[in-house]
Amino acid sequence: MRRKDDEKEQRIKEAVASLMLEEGWSGTSISKIARKAEVSPATVYTYFDSKEDMLQCIYMEYSEHVFDYMMDQVETGMCASQVIETLMRSFYRYMTENETVSSFMEQFGNCRALSSKCTCKKSIGSVGGLLEEMKQKHVIRDYSEQSLEALIFYPVKAIVFDQKLKSSDKSRLLDEIIDLVRRAVLY
């Protein structure tokens, strides 16, 4: 049995994210991934059972990074307004500072064939738990978890991925969206 190497695994993940952006799902083959990661195709299968398994595992890992990053920014004692703003700004910061990862996640999330089979709810669990706690304390409205996530994160993604906007416009829009979301969810 072949031994796994963390550096090779990381190169494979980076190659997958990069190729998905360049060539899409159908254009991303195991041989292209191996070539870009400078490993053999057999090495790719040492880490993943299939292309679909690989994409889902990578998506789950990246999702966990995003939500861990956001939760690391939330401090004990923050008021609800600060928590909402912190979640939104940290999500925006992560998405803009990790462009390849963010674009991969967006493309994966928009592919129903892949995302419908992905069980990555664990990664958003800590954020969902935080929002649920805030609902129980009656500091945010009792909307469904899906509605709260949509209100908080989808507008941020729309700003991040809008290629027509300049950085200064994105910053201004982020401020506006944060204000709108706070008004919508806070009591």
Side-chain angles (χ1 to χ4, degrees):
M1 177 168 208
R2 299 184 71 173
R3 208 180 64 142
K4 293 184 177 183
D5 176 324
D6 290 342
E7 181 197 334
K8 285 181 184 176
E9 184 176 15
Q10 187 59 37
R11 287 196 327 251
I12 292 168
K13 290 175 184 176
E14 290 170 3
V16 169
S18 177
L19 284 167
M20 279 285 289
L21 297 179
E22 294 168 14
E23 307 202 17
W25 156 257
S26 59
T28 302
S29 66
I30 295 296
S31 62
K32 286 181 182 178
I33 293 165
R35 193 171 26 257
K36 190 162 187 100
E38 298 177 347
V39 298
S40 73
T43 300
V44 174
Y45 286 111
T46 300
Y47 297 95
F48 305 101
D49 294 334
S50 66
K51 184 169 94 169
E52 186 175 295
D53 172 58
M54 176 181 3
L55 294 171
Q56 290 174 348
C57 288
I58 293 169
Y59 179 78
M60 287 188 294
E61 181 180 318
Y62 287 165
S63 294
E64 296 217 5
H65 287 168
V66 173
F67 290 105
D68 288 346
Y69 177 82
M70 288 188 306
M71 289 302 293
D72 286 346
Q73 310 308 307
V74 175
E75 298 175 13
T76 305
M78 284 182 161
C79 69
S81 178
Q82 291 170 314
V83 169
I84 297 298
E85 180 173 357
T86 299
L87 289 173
M88 293 179 78
R89 288 195 189 283
S90 60
F91 184 60
Y92 178 83
R93 193 175 321 110
Y94 187 93
M95 298 293 277
T96 55
E97 291 175 359
N98 298 279
E99 191 174 321
T100 301
V101 169
S102 301
S103 295
F104 168 81
M105 290 175 56
E106 181 70 3
Q107 192 168 12
F108 181 95
N110 288 331
C111 180
R112 186 169 299 205
L114 291 172
S115 61
S116 66
K117 297 175 187 168
C118 190
T119 57
C120 51
K121 225 26 191 168
K122 174 187 163 208
S123 62
I124 198 167
S126 54
V127 173
L130 177 63
L131 295 173
E132 187 60 38
E133 182 181 313
M134 291 168 56
K135 285 194 305 188
Q136 290 174 0
K137 290 180 179 178
H138 302 289
V139 293
I140 64 172
R141 299 186 191 282
D142 191 19
Y143 296 142
S144 69
E145 184 177 338
Q146 292 83 359
S147 293
L148 288 170
E149 291 168 10
L151 281 168
I152 293 169
F153 300 116
Y154 290 148
V156 175
K157 285 185 354 179
I159 294 169
V160 168
F161 292 114
D162 190 333
Q163 301 296 324
K164 298 174 288 205
L165 293 173
K166 295 184 285 186
S167 181
S168 58
D169 294 332
K170 288 182 178 192
S171 180
R172 181 184 51 75
L173 285 173
L174 181 62
D175 291 342
E176 285 180 12
I177 292 294
I178 290 170
D179 184 53
L180 286 168
V181 169
R182 285 195 290 215
R183 290 172 191 256
V185 303
L186 297 174
Y187 280 111

